[in-house]
Amino acid sequence: MYCRAKCLRQAQADARMAIAHTHLRYSEASGAANMNKYLDLARAYHQLGVAYTCEAKDHADVDLTQGVKCFSQACEYDSKEDSYQSKLKEFSEQLSPQDAKRVQDLLREVRAGDYRQGHLLAGDVDGKDFCVHQLNVSLRFGERTRKNLTAGVREELRRSFATHFKCKSPLDVQLSFIKFSEEAGLEVGLEIHLQASTSLKLAQEFAKGTAGGPESCATLLYELTDGNAVEQELGRDVAISTELLDITETIRAQQKADDFEFSYLVCETAERDEPKESEPSRPKTEIELPYKMYRLVHADGSPCERADKHGFAMSRVYYSKTELPDEVYVELCDSSLRWRQSSDEVKIILLRVPAGLRASRDLHVQILPDYVKCATRNVARSGEGEVYFEGQLCRGIIPEQSLWEYDSDNGLLTVYLKKMNLELLSTSHQHANMWWPRLCADHAEIQWDDYEKDYSDLPEPIMRQHEKNELQSKILNNLEYKERLKNESLQEADEVRRRMRQERLHEMRTGERLSWVDLSQGKTGRSKVTIRRG
């Protein structure tokens, strides 16, 4: 309800309260009731994720990293629900590498007992017969990367270990870590909780069997998994190490603790008669004035404003260089640079570089996949000097195919950046997706209809596909045009026959000869023409 009403803070607060009360409600439960706890927690975390992500990224109350973290927890509690998986995939793809790392940090901060050891609290923890051991298994695969550890392989490993050690619940086997390095290869950690004496004996036998070399470890592992797909993905270069721990007292201490996530909300609610309402964030009051942030100019700096703005913010697209009009540049309001773009390249002209410099001696230009810097060479050496341009690019480029040149006569330094165009890999037919809305991440967005779009240098395969589609469309349009002309000709001939038939029919009935126009206007003839037969 609050999500639909755009009250995101209240929706987030309600979802956090639902999580806290779910933990509290099932704190005294045991047995099968604990499975309902995980389903309820999955729904609560999913709702919290929706509250964090249901608006656009620029909304003040939206936090994609928290949303992805909540969807991840929902999938951990209920891995069979497709809607949780689809939400996790949808918003994970929108995260930057830095945000993805932050999500991992947030998940590590969440108390692991919420879903790794919480199911062990279902029985009589304080009983004399209660005993839990934890087998930590480390699997190291040489010459393998993270992409080999697919979701199917992970599930097969968990299922196989749970079956082999006769675990009471699938939750008894959890992935504890996944590490990768060039030297060590891929390392996967498993936590296996053993609650029966037979499971403990099997674990001890397994630990003894891992003392051999890689080939014996591989044989032991793939006999346990009984799956060719796992062996095909992970290979036979396997090293296994194990550690068996008695965690009985840890589980007993965990039952007495109330440090589950958002537990403080339950305590705060108990101290107040009514729940505290969340105050919504203030609406955005800053208005971006695009023509105060940049202006449109020609290559020489002369103004080039568009006078005929289209009401629907449309812009003309050119796929041929012969049809291109004069080049239009975007010049920043501080007159530090002007830039333009095509479908394959970004051209930047720096305006503050002094004339008369020697490029190899005095200038240092650094081009990285998402960063460009131009400064005097002293800046790179001692940190002293002048920086002419520095910025985090809006999108990625290919440094190896980018270059720069300097004109010492007029002091103009021009940088040519080759676009990475990752958008074309998934949507090659949507050419507008590769158009940069701004040069750097902190620049103002350029209005879409400010100047025409140059798509004349599309990648060759995409240009060929576009030309093929255009040719097919042209042929289809010609066929439709000819068909339309034919239908119109037939319709016109049919209309002429119908008019002549009406004129003859009227003459036969009345003896008057009138044109179809007079008949349609209801006129009558002044003289009658008698038709004699015989």
Side-chain angles (χ1 to χ4, degrees):
M1 178 183 70
Y2 286 113
C3 289
R4 290 194 293 270
K6 313 303 181 187
C7 302
L8 302 192
R9 286 191 179 181
Q10 189 62 50
Q12 294 161 12
D14 288 353
R16 286 193 291 266
M17 186 68 69
I19 294 171
H21 278 283
T22 301
H23 280 289
L24 187 64
R25 175 187 174 188
Y26 288 98
S27 60
E28 303 296 333
S30 62
N34 256 311
M35 294 307 299
N36 295 330
K37 171 186 177 180
Y38 303 132
L39 297 178
D40 290 345
L41 283 173
R43 285 191 287 269
Y45 272 110
H46 174 260
Q47 194 59 41
L48 181 57
V50 170
Y52 275 120
T53 58
C54 64
E55 283 296 312
K57 291 182 180 179
D58 57 351
H59 195 285
D61 298 331
V62 166
D63 191 338
L64 288 185
T65 55
Q66 287 287 353
V68 172
K69 173 247 183 189
C70 293
F71 291 136
S72 299
Q73 289 175 276
C75 292
E76 286 288 347
Y77 284 119
D78 186 3
S79 60
K80 297 181 179 179
E81 181 59 47
D82 293 338
S83 61
Y84 303 162
Q85 300 285 349
S86 62
K87 283 287 186 182
L88 177 60
K89 180 180 178 182
E90 175 186 354
F91 291 101
S92 294
E93 293 174 350
Q94 302 180 27
L95 294 180
S96 64
Q98 295 81 4
D99 291 336
K101 185 178 182 301
R102 183 172 169 235
V103 170
Q104 297 298 325
D105 294 338
L106 289 173
L107 288 172
R108 279 193 290 270
E109 291 173 5
V110 176
R111 192 169 68 87
D114 280 350
Y115 51 82
R116 283 193 180 165
Q117 297 178 355
H119 63 284
L120 300 176
L121 304 174
D124 184 11
V125 177
D126 296 324
K128 294 181 179 180
D129 297 332
F130 180 77
C131 181
V132 180
H133 287 79
Q134 178 173 302
L135 178 65
N136 296 326
V137 180
S138 175
L139 308 174
R140 182 179 285 108
F141 302 92
E143 300 181 358
R144 289 296 185 270
T145 62
R146 292 178 184 269
K147 69 178 183 180
N148 296 110
L149 192 67
T150 62
V153 171
R154 293 197 301 269
E155 288 303 314
E156 177 62 23
L157 286 174
R158 290 182 59 188
R159 184 195 64 78
S160 300
F161 275 91
T163 303
H164 177 75
F165 291 108
K166 300 180 180 180
C167 297
K168 295 182 178 180
S169 166
L171 295 173
D172 282 328
V173 180
Q174 293 289 342
L175 290 172
S176 57
F177 64 84
I178 300 174
K179 300 178 182 178
F180 172 76
S181 63
E182 295 291 342
E183 298 79 13
L186 178 66
E187 187 175 0
V188 181
L190 293 172
E191 288 182 3
I192 306 171
H193 299 127
L194 312 168
Q195 303 182 56
S197 58
T198 54
S199 300
L200 180 59
K201 291 180 181 179
L202 290 172
Q204 293 170 346
E205 294 174 0
F206 180 81
K208 292 179 182 179
T210 59
E215 187 62 31
S216 62
C217 289
T219 303
L220 178 64
L221 175 63
Y222 296 128
E223 285 179 355
L224 184 147
T225 56
D226 192 23
N228 295 328
V230 178
E231 182 177 355
Q232 184 178 356
E233 289 290 341
L234 300 179
R236 298 192 64 84
D237 185 8
V238 185
I240 304 177
S241 59
T242 60
E243 181 185 16
L244 188 60
L245 303 173
D246 187 347
I247 60 171
T248 305
E249 296 302 323
T250 304
I251 299 300
R252 286 173 177 167
Q254 181 179 321
Q255 188 188 40
K256 301 175 182 178
D258 287 331
D259 58 342
F260 52 81
E261 192 174 17
F262 309 128
S263 59
Y264 64 91
L265 295 175
V266 181
C267 301
E268 291 178 1
T269 307
E271 295 173 359
R272 295 192 303 266
D273 295 333
E274 296 181 358
K276 181 181 178 181
E277 294 184 356
S278 298
E279 181 180 353
S281 58
R282 290 179 59 83
K284 183 178 179 181
T285 56
E286 299 83 2
I287 301 177
E288 269 194 2
L289 301 177
Y291 297 103
K292 296 294 183 181
M293 308 302 293
Y294 65 88
R295 52 183 172 268
L296 302 180
V297 298
H298 292 289
D300 58 357
S302 58
C304 176
E305 294 289 346
R306 280 191 61 182
D308 52 344
K309 284 274 189 176
H310 195 282
F312 295 99
M314 299 178 69
S315 179
R316 186 172 180 181
V317 173
Y318 294 92
Y319 286 93
S320 173
K321 289 185 178 295
T322 58
E323 300 177 359
L324 284 174
D326 294 338
E327 290 185 346
V328 177
Y329 289 78
V330 175
E331 184 173 309
L332 301 189
C333 58
D334 59 357
S335 300
S336 60
L337 62 87
R338 64 178 69 109
W339 71 285
R340 72 177 302 274
Q341 62 177 313
S342 63
S343 58
D344 192 56
E345 183 182 69
V346 175
K347 180 180 178 181
I348 307 173
I349 302 177
L350 303 183
L351 306 176
R352 292 182 177 176
V353 182
L357 300 179
R358 290 182 59 183
S360 59
R361 181 190 66 188
D362 301 326
L363 294 175
H364 173 72
V365 179
Q366 184 181 14
I367 301 177
L368 300 177
D370 59 349
Y371 173 83
V372 174
K373 180 179 180 180
C374 176
T376 58
R377 193 163 291 276
N378 293 336
V379 174
R381 293 173 181 173
S382 60
E384 299 179 357
E386 187 173 357
V387 178
Y388 304 116
F389 171 71
E390 182 178 14
Q392 194 79 19
L393 296 176
C394 169
R395 296 184 186 173
I397 61 169
I398 305 176
E400 294 78 10
Q401 300 183 31
S402 302
L403 53 92
W404 62 277
E405 62 181 5
Y406 171 68
D407 188 350
S408 60
D409 294 335
N410 53 27
L412 295 180
L413 190 148
T414 307
V415 184
Y416 301 91
L417 303 178
K418 175 77 171 180
K419 287 184 177 181
M420 195 174 292
N421 279 339
L422 296 177
E423 299 79 12
L424 290 178
L425 297 178
S426 57
T427 55
S428 60
H429 61 288
Q430 297 181 0
H431 303 158
N433 288 347
M434 62 189 172
W435 199 256
W436 290 16
R438 53 175 66 84
L439 176 61
C440 294
D442 57 348
H443 287 179
E445 184 173 342
I446 310 301
Q447 298 298 304
W448 174 260
D449 60 337
D450 264 348
Y451 57 93
E452 288 80 5
K453 306 297 181 288
D454 178 10
Y455 293 166
S456 60
D457 55 354
L458 280 169
E460 187 176 349
I462 297 177
M463 181 62 82
R464 284 201 304 267
Q465 183 63 37
H466 168 73
E467 292 174 350
K468 180 181 178 181
N469 295 341
E470 287 294 309
L471 180 60
Q472 291 176 349
S473 177
K474 185 176 180 180
I475 294 174
L476 181 61
N477 290 338
N478 287 337
L479 291 176
E480 291 177 350
Y481 176 70
K482 292 178 180 179
E483 186 70 19
R484 187 169 64 251
L485 289 180
K486 181 179 178 181
N487 292 337
E488 290 176 355
S489 177
L490 293 175
Q491 185 177 0
E492 183 177 357
D494 186 65
E495 183 69 18
V496 170
R497 286 194 297 270
R498 187 179 65 84
R499 294 174 182 178
M500 293 178 63
R501 189 165 55 250
Q502 289 181 349
E503 291 174 358
R504 289 196 300 269
L505 183 61
H506 181 268
E507 183 178 358
M508 292 175 62
R509 288 176 175 175
T510 63
E512 296 177 337
R513 182 174 296 173
L514 295 177
S515 67
W516 178 85
V517 176
D518 293 336
L519 290 175
S520 63
Q521 295 177 355
K523 295 181 179 180
T524 57
R526 296 180 179 177
S527 60
K528 293 184 178 181
V529 179
T530 304
I531 300 176
R532 295 182 179 179
R533 301 180 182 274

